[in-house]
Amino acid sequence: MEREFKVHKEIADTFGYKVSIHSGSDKFSVYPIIEQYTKGRFHVKTAGTNWLEAMRVIAKVNPSLYRRMHQYALDHFQEAKAYYHVTTDIQRITPLENLTDEDLSTYMDENNARQLIHITYGILLQAVNKNGEYLFKDEFFKTLEIYEKEYDEALIAHIGKHIALLGK
């Protein structure tokens, strides 16, 4: 992996570009290599993992919404999987009824559950009922607005972890 990264770094150097890193990969283990070779000439995309932090906040402050979204994601997993190459094994995800509301945010720490929520974001935010009303979107954003401080703190901690591992 390090050898391959060095090639990308050389290409970026040749053309005067930054190396672009997608945070959805095994980022934390490769960040020291990124810092070593790029000396700060990189771009990290974190939008998908920011979505997961938003869902972690939703799980903590609006467990009913999280439970509905999680179940909808399970019900539409095959549809979402058509757009992503993932190794998600939904059989390994702890059933919703086996977790208390207080434990829901731990789904974001388990790879299969995290991937499930990660790849279904578009389906979840676009889902509508038979009247064309959003099933989750409005309540999702309203909840984040009400709990803006909690979401800000989650993002600061999350992005801070990225920055610290990148030597910044």
Side-chain angles (χ1 to χ4, degrees):
M1 174 189 58
E2 184 173 349
R3 184 171 41 87
E4 291 175 18
F5 186 79
K6 286 166 66 174
V7 170
H8 289 280
K9 182 258 187 210
E10 291 299 324
I11 293 168
D13 285 349
T14 299
F15 294 101
Y17 291 116
K18 292 180 179 180
V19 176
S20 185
I21 309 300
H22 185 281
S23 68
S25 59
D26 184 20
K27 65 207 169 280
F28 294 125
S29 67
V30 298
Y31 275 1
I33 294 169
I34 293 167
E35 169 58 17
Q36 176 186 347
Y37 289 103
T38 65
K39 303 299 182 223
R41 286 189 42 225
F42 58 85
H43 162 80
V44 178
K45 179 205 164 285
T46 62
T49 56
N50 291 354
W51 155 256
L52 294 173
E53 290 305 308
M55 287 299 289
R56 185 186 305 270
V57 170
I58 295 295
K60 288 179 181 177
V61 302
N62 191 342
S64 170
L65 173 60
Y66 180 86
R67 286 180 183 278
R68 288 180 278 130
M69 291 178 81
H70 184 99
Q71 185 59 56
Y72 195 89
L74 285 170
D75 295 344
H76 292 84
F77 174 69
Q78 291 304 322
E79 179 185 346
K81 192 175 171 185
Y83 301 103
Y84 294 91
H85 175 72
V86 292
T87 59
T88 310
D89 180 355
I90 60 172
Q91 301 303 315
R92 298 191 67 167
I93 300 172
T94 303
L96 280 167
E97 61 271 11
N98 292 356
L99 290 180
T100 66
D101 286 351
E102 293 75 24
D103 294 330
L104 289 176
S105 66
T106 64
Y107 274 127
M108 297 307 104
D109 299 327
E110 197 282 316
N111 189 52
N112 293 293
R114 185 175 59 252
Q115 283 186 23
L116 167 71
I117 297 302
H118 193 137
I119 71 168
T120 56
Y121 77 95
I123 290 169
L124 290 167
L125 293 179
Q126 294 176 32
V128 294
N129 65 19
K130 63 184 176 192
N131 297 323
E133 299 161 331
Y134 288 113
L135 293 177
F136 313 112
K137 182 179 179 179
D138 295 335
E139 186 177 358
F140 173 84
F141 285 110
K142 183 66 174 172
T143 300
L144 290 180
E145 182 181 318
I146 292 168
Y147 292 94
E148 182 177 7
K149 180 179 180 236
E150 288 81 355
Y151 184 45
D152 287 350
E153 290 170 354
L155 285 179
I156 289 167
H158 175 68
I159 293 172
K161 184 175 180 181
H162 289 267
I163 292 169
L165 286 170
L166 286 164
K168 299 295 160 204

